[in-house]
């Protein structure tokens, strides 16, 4: 039996809401994930079948956390029957079932970023239009924004002034045709195509409405137009059992198309909606919350809320100014090292937040010089690694021999004599004969038109693919690992990886990454080997894990990250640096009158701190050997004077005693407390 006694009254109201639309206005650190998972468990206890419940989040990590918590409440068997996924994974599930209704074939291919750039590059070449990597990126960004806004590039507001728009419109049409010819979709299509599917086929829309009778959405403030359209197709406005959880004060993804107004307009979009506010914070001490409340209150368009907690008052917030950003970085790292060493404080309790990635460079240099372990969240994606892309290309080919992008990627990996010239000849034959590329390879093998070395390599590839596809036809799900082991040996993937790096140790690590990914097959339920592989390839394609960040979350190291990347995280002690006009708020936001979103960014950064928050800034920085003066951020003045202690630090190299003598007694006491943080607190 679910115990609701541990929930506070607003949380209980949200959990026990059964029918109709509801907005849960969940402030930072207010236990929203607990509310979502408890409501899932409560609905099931009320007799709602688990398979009729859909909970959507924005990251696989959040979805996994929800599944783990539901499993803890109801058991793993029941939790696996609930549909817990990201928006993109939900779209992929729907397309796996019904993409044929849109004229595609099953299985379809999900393109990665490299594939998309390759297609854009080919289109620009076909149009005889020159383009740099930046040009390609700008065009892809326009196409993505158009898809997410459910329109063509020409219909975007920026069409009036963006000089790239006419070319983007031409490329957009050809890009769509290229994807159809490849039977492929990109990430934006995983949202767009399900919307089109349900709008064109009312019977399929009704199928999904009957399946997902209770829908919950986490981080609702981050939804964009296409995600809202998908939700509105899945639920009926008149009798929507839709519960959304979010906080307009934490809407910080306008650059992805998110609009803070989605929360402000929820009860207009869904008349009669109930609104429950969660304002008790379980993360931060009172001073941090009062300061954050004061800053965000300067935004006009918001739903009123004031965070509070029972975790103690907390100390005033040091607001420190340094002569340069180099001295700012030196002080931050020195302070972290002193606290960690003096009080046996784990490195992982410290975080340094900044507005933009270039700010991390000087901090990283100082951390290295002082030998302080650190990790930077937001490094290279695990799935941007060459060895992982090669693995996925081979697995996609096993599922879909018409996947020409994957075949081009790996047919000559390791070198098999099928270089650029041979591949160009095969391309030409495929076009002339109207064949998929792999069939053109087969034809060339039959008539002996390939050079001897290429013939041997092509035979190896074709036979390995045919054998794997044949083995998949009758294999049970638990036989997939053996099939893939044999297949990857036949196509020499291990050899390609081990020979691809001069450093044998690094090469072995890369091969181990591939083996670990294959090991993930064990967590996938499917009726047979082919379905299991299809699900695995789709799941991996949607997995946003990053190395140096999520993977090392338990490492004992100082965390460095942008405020955007800090969303959803918390740390005992946070240094929010670069509190200067032009950085926070960013100059572009100032120029574009978008300061309210920057204020929300500041609010998010401040509310990551559990015990201590330190705000720092520099009076000057250097750019291209020129000294640039910086003014304090306007957000500092929005913090009441009684909640902060301002200080100008003239010399980082001075001793702690000298620094204390140059400051007020109040600041000296605050910094002393900062140095004496309880090492057992968490």
């Amino acid at each position: 039996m679910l115990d609701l006694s541990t929930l506070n009254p607003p949380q209980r109201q949200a959990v026990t809401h059964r029918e109709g639309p509801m907005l849960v206005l969940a402030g930072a650190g207010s236990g929203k994930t607990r509310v979502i998972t408890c409501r899932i468990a409560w609905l099931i206890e009320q007799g709602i079948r688990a398979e009729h419940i859909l909970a959507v989040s924005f990251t696989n990590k959040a979805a996994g956390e929800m599944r783990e918590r539901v499993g803890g409440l109801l058991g793993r068997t029941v939790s696996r029957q609930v549909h817990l996924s990201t928006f993109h994974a939900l779209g992929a599930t729907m397309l796996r079932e019904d993409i044929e209704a849109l004229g595609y074939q099953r299985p379809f291919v999900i393109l990665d970023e490299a594939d998309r750039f390759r297609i854009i590059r080919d289109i620009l070449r076909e149009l005889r239009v020159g383009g740099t990597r930046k040009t390609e990126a700008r065009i892809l960004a326009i196409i993505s924004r158009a898809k997410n806004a459910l329109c063509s590039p020409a219909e975007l507001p920026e069409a009036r002034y963006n000089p790239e728009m006419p070319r983007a419109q031409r490329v957009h049409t050809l890009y769509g045709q290229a994807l159809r010819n490849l039977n492929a979709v990109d990430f934006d299509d995983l949202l767009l195509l399900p919307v089109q599917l349900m709008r064109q086929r009312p019977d399929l829309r009704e199928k999904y409405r009957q399946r997902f009778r209770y829908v919950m959405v986490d981080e609702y403030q981050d939804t964009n137009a296409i995600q809202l359209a998908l939700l509105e197709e899945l639920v009926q406005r008149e009798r929507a059992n839709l519960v959304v959880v979010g906080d307009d004060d934490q809407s910080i993804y306008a650059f992805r198309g998110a609009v803070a107004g989605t929360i402000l307009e929820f009860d207009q979009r869904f008349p009669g909606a109930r609104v429950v506010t969660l304002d008790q914070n379980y993360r931060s001490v009172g001073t941090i919350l009062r300061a954050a409340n004061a800053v965000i209150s300067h935004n006009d368009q918001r739903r009123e809320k004031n965070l509070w907690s029972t975790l103690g008052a907390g100390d005033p917030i040091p607001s420190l100014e340094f002569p340069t950003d180099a001295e700012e970085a030196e002080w931050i790292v020195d302070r972290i090292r002193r606290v960690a060493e003096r009080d046996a404080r784990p490195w992982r309790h410290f975080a340094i937040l900044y507005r933009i990635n270039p700010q991390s460079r000087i901090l990283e240099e100082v951390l290295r010089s002082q030998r302080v372990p650190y990790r930077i969240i937001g490094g290279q994606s695990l799935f941007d690694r060459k060895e992982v892309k090669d693995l996925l290309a081979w697995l996609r080919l096993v599922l879909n021999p018409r996947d020409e992008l994957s075949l081009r990627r790996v047919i000559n990996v390791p070198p098999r004599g099928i270089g650029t010239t041979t591949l160009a000849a095969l391309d030409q034959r495929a076009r002339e004969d109207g064949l998929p590329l792999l069939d053109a390879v087969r034809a060339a093998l039959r008539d002996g038109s390939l050079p001897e070395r290429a013939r041997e390599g092509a035979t190896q590839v074709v036979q390995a693919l045919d054998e794997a596809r044949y083995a998949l036809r009758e294999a049970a799900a638990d036989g997939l690992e053996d099939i893939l082991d044999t297949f990857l040996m036949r196509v020499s993937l291990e050899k390609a990886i081990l020979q691809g790096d001069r450093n044998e140790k690094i090469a072995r690590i890369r091969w181990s990454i591939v083996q670990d990914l294959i090991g993930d097959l064990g967590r996938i339920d499917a009726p047979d080997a082919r379905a299991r592989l299809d699900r695995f390839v789709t799941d991996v394609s949607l997995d946003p894990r990053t190395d140096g960040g999520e993977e090392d979350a338990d490492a004992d190291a100082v965390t460095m990250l942008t405020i955007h990347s800090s969303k959803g995280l918390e740390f005992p002690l946070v240094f929010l640096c670069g509190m200067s006009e032009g950085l926070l708020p960013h100059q572009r936001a100032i120029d574009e009158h978008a300061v309210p979103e920057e204020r929300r960014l500041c609010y998010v950064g401040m509310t990551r701190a559990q015990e201590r928050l330190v705000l720092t800034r520099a009076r000057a920085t250097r750019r291209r050997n020129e000294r640039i003066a910086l003014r304090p951020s306007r957000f500092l003045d929005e913090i009441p004077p009684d909640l902060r202690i301002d200080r100008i630090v003239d010399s980082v190299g001075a001793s702690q005693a000298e620094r204390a003598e140059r400051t007020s007694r109040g600041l000296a006491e605050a910094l002393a407390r900062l140095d004496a943080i309880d090492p057992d607190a968490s």
Side-chain angles (χ1 to χ4, degrees):
M1 187 72 179
L2 183 64
D3 181 11
L4 301 181
S5 65
T6 58
L7 302 175
N8 65 40
Q11 287 177 331
R12 269 197 302 277
Q13 290 177 38
V15 166
T16 56
H17 173 86
R18 177 157 174 163
E19 306 289 337
M22 177 174 67
L23 166 63
V24 180
L25 195 61
S30 62
K32 65 182 179 63
T33 304
R34 188 181 184 201
V35 166
I36 294 171
T37 53
C38 284
R39 182 167 186 267
I40 292 171
W42 184 82
L43 286 172
I44 292 172
E45 282 193 352
Q46 301 304 302
I48 306 300
R49 292 170 58 182
E51 57 267 32
H52 287 326
I53 299 173
L54 168 67
V56 184
S57 65
F58 276 80
T59 66
N60 282 330
K61 180 181 178 184
E65 183 182 351
M66 281 196 284
R67 187 175 299 283
E68 186 176 327
R69 291 198 188 188
V70 173
L73 293 171
L74 297 174
R76 188 178 179 188
T77 301
V78 175
S79 74
R80 297 181 86 156
Q81 295 171 10
V82 179
H83 298 274
L84 298 167
S85 74
T86 64
F87 274 101
H88 288 89
L90 172 64
T93 297
M94 297 170 71
L95 294 180
R96 269 203 302 267
E97 291 187 30
D98 293 307
I99 197 169
E100 290 168 311
L102 294 172
Y104 290 78
Q105 298 177 11
R106 288 191 297 172
F108 58 91
V109 178
I110 301 174
L111 302 182
D112 62 17
E113 280 300 290
D115 294 331
R116 296 176 71 217
F117 270 99
R118 197 174 298 118
I119 292 171
I120 294 295
R121 195 171 301 123
D122 290 344
I123 291 172
L124 291 175
R125 193 177 297 123
E126 182 181 326
L127 294 173
R128 293 192 172 93
V129 176
T132 63
R133 176 81 175 188
K134 286 185 177 180
T135 301
E136 296 162 4
R138 283 196 296 267
I139 291 174
L140 272 174
I142 290 171
I143 293 173
S144 180
R145 286 196 294 272
K147 288 187 177 184
N148 280 281
L150 291 165
C151 67
S152 70
E155 296 172 300
L156 288 170
E158 65 195 82
R160 300 189 306 275
Y161 59 82
N162 191 330
E164 207 68 70
M165 197 58 70
R167 180 160 50 176
Q169 182 63 43
R170 293 171 65 197
V171 172
H172 172 259
T173 302
L174 296 173
Y175 177 75
Q177 293 172 357
L179 264 60
R180 289 300 292 258
N181 292 339
L182 292 166
N183 197 50
V185 303
D186 62 19
F187 262 46
D188 298 318
D189 290 328
L190 294 177
L191 303 176
L192 178 62
L193 294 182
V195 172
Q196 294 177 350
L197 184 73
M198 289 188 284
R199 288 180 176 178
Q200 294 174 21
R201 290 284 301 272
D203 58 320
L204 294 178
R205 178 176 60 201
E206 187 59 26
K207 179 183 87 168
Y208 289 112
R209 285 182 174 179
Q210 288 301 316
R211 179 183 301 177
F212 305 130
R213 299 181 187 181
Y214 291 83
V215 179
M216 282 175 275
V217 182
D218 190 16
E219 304 286 6
Y220 183 70
Q221 77 279 351
D222 294 337
T223 51
N224 59 21
I226 189 67
Q227 291 160 339
L228 288 172
L230 180 59
L231 284 175
E232 290 184 349
E233 293 300 326
L234 283 173
V235 301
Q236 291 179 280
R237 287 197 184 194
E238 308 77 44
R239 52 184 181 86
N241 288 324
L242 173 66
V243 172
V244 302
V245 181
D247 181 6
D248 52 316
D249 290 337
Q250 297 186 73
S251 180
I252 58 173
Y253 295 112
F255 64 92
R256 295 179 186 169
V259 181
T262 55
I263 282 186
L264 303 179
E265 300 164 0
F266 182 79
D267 34 12
Q268 299 171 28
R269 196 180 291 267
F270 297 95
R274 184 181 185 183
V275 179
V276 174
T277 301
L278 306 182
D279 53 9
Q280 182 175 357
N281 176 283
Y282 294 91
R283 174 188 299 155
S284 307
V285 295
T287 302
I288 293 171
L289 297 179
R290 289 169 60 202
N293 288 336
V295 170
I296 201 63
S297 68
H298 285 76
N299 275 359
D300 295 329
Q301 301 296 315
R302 60 184 292 265
R303 287 184 181 263
E304 187 64 33
K305 81 182 77 64
N306 273 293
L307 298 183
W308 60 277
S309 81
T310 59
L311 300 177
D315 294 320
I317 298 168
S319 174
L320 311 179
E321 179 183 293
F322 298 86
T324 67
D325 51 358
E327 289 171 281
E328 177 187 16
E330 287 278 357
W331 187 91
I332 290 172
V333 176
D334 179 68
R335 181 62 52 175
I336 290 173
R337 184 178 53 77
R338 285 171 180 266
V339 173
E341 292 177 355
R342 184 176 302 166
D343 301 315
R345 187 80 163 179
W347 297 114
R348 64 178 177 273
H349 282 190
F350 301 88
I352 307 173
L353 273 57
Y354 37 83
R355 173 64 177 83
I356 54 176
N357 279 309
Q359 291 174 259
S360 69
R361 181 188 58 80
I362 194 166
L363 287 159
E364 189 174 4
E365 289 176 1
V366 178
L367 286 161
R368 284 178 181 273
S369 69
Q370 297 205 23
R371 298 184 180 180
V372 174
Y374 67 93
R375 65 185 181 116
I376 299 179
I377 290 183
Q380 179 195 28
S381 168
L382 175 66
F383 301 103
D384 283 340
R385 293 180 179 274
K386 181 182 185 301
E387 62 273 14
V388 176
K389 285 178 174 287
D390 289 347
L391 169 67
L392 291 178
W394 282 120
L395 299 185
R396 287 175 179 140
L397 277 170
V398 171
L399 289 168
N400 180 12
R402 297 171 63 90
D403 184 351
E404 296 188 8
L405 288 173
S406 292
L407 183 59
R408 291 172 194 277
R409 178 178 184 90
V410 294
I411 194 171
N412 202 41
V413 178
R416 296 185 174 89
I418 310 174
T420 305
T421 303
T422 303
L423 192 56
L426 290 167
D427 268 334
Q428 184 177 352
R429 179 164 190 166
R431 286 195 301 270
E432 291 174 351
D433 296 349
L435 297 172
L437 183 57
L438 186 60
D439 287 349
V441 174
R442 295 180 193 276
L445 286 173
R446 284 195 299 269
D447 63 25
S449 58
L450 285 174
E452 182 177 351
R453 183 165 177 241
R455 186 162 59 248
E456 181 181 339
T459 300
Q460 179 190 40
V461 169
V462 170
Q463 287 181 351
L465 285 169
D466 287 347
E467 289 170 6
R469 288 176 60 78
Y470 179 80
L472 279 181
R473 290 178 185 172
E474 304 296 332
D478 59 6
L480 180 57
E481 288 90 336
D482 290 340
I483 294 172
L484 293 184
D485 284 344
T486 301
F487 171 68
L488 295 177
M489 181 184 67
R490 291 292 309 275
V491 298
S492 305
L493 180 60
E494 181 179 8
K495 176 183 176 183
I497 293 171
L498 296 183
Q499 291 181 349
D501 200 298
R502 293 180 182 178
N503 187 314
E504 182 180 352
K505 183 177 180 180
I506 292 176
R508 287 287 173 192
I509 291 173
R510 288 178 172 166
W511 174 240
S512 72
I513 289 171
V514 170
Q515 292 176 305
D516 289 343
L517 277 176
I518 295 294
D520 280 353
L521 283 164
R523 64 179 173 78
I524 294 175
D525 289 328
D528 54 54
R530 194 183 191 290
R532 196 177 192 189
L533 179 60
D534 186 19
R535 179 68 180 274
F536 172 74
V537 169
T538 301
D539 286 354
V540 167
S541 298
L542 295 174
D543 194 329
R545 281 181 289 180
T546 56
D547 66 10
E550 314 279 330
E551 292 179 347
D552 299 329
D554 294 328
D556 190 19
V558 174
T559 301
M560 296 173 58
L561 69 172
T562 64
I563 302 174
H564 281 104
S565 298
S566 75
K567 182 81 178 299
L569 302 179
E570 58 186 34
F571 304 91
L573 193 148
V574 169
F575 292 84
L576 183 51
C577 65
M579 292 293 294
S580 303
E581 291 288 300
L583 284 176
L584 187 64
H586 194 276
Q587 188 59 49
R588 184 171 58 244
I590 297 172
D591 295 341
E592 296 175 357
H593 307 289
V595 170
E597 174 135 343
E598 295 292 298
R599 187 173 283 110
R600 292 193 291 270
L601 262 178
C602 183
Y603 174 83
V604 167
M606 295 173 73
T607 54
R608 300 311 94 195
Q610 296 171 291
E611 303 166 18
R612 298 289 190 277
L613 172 66
V614 180
L615 307 174
T616 67
R617 64 191 183 280
R619 287 197 296 275
T621 185
R622 299 196 71 83
R623 295 176 193 158
R624 300 183 183 90
N625 294 322
E626 181 183 358
R627 186 179 185 277
I628 307 294
L630 300 172
R631 291 182 294 113
S633 169
R634 68 191 71 188
F635 302 145
L636 294 172
D637 285 338
E638 295 173 359
I639 300 174
D642 64 313
L643 299 180
R644 70 176 199 266
I645 301 178
D646 299 327
R647 176 189 170 198
I648 296 176
V649 182
D650 294 321
S651 174
V652 173
S655 69
Q656 186 175 10
E658 290 170 338
R659 288 198 300 270
E661 288 175 0
R662 286 201 303 268
T663 189
S664 68
R665 177 172 297 182
L667 177 59
E669 291 173 354
L671 291 177
R673 285 192 291 269
L674 183 63
D675 271 348
I677 299 170
D678 178 7
D680 296 323
S682 60

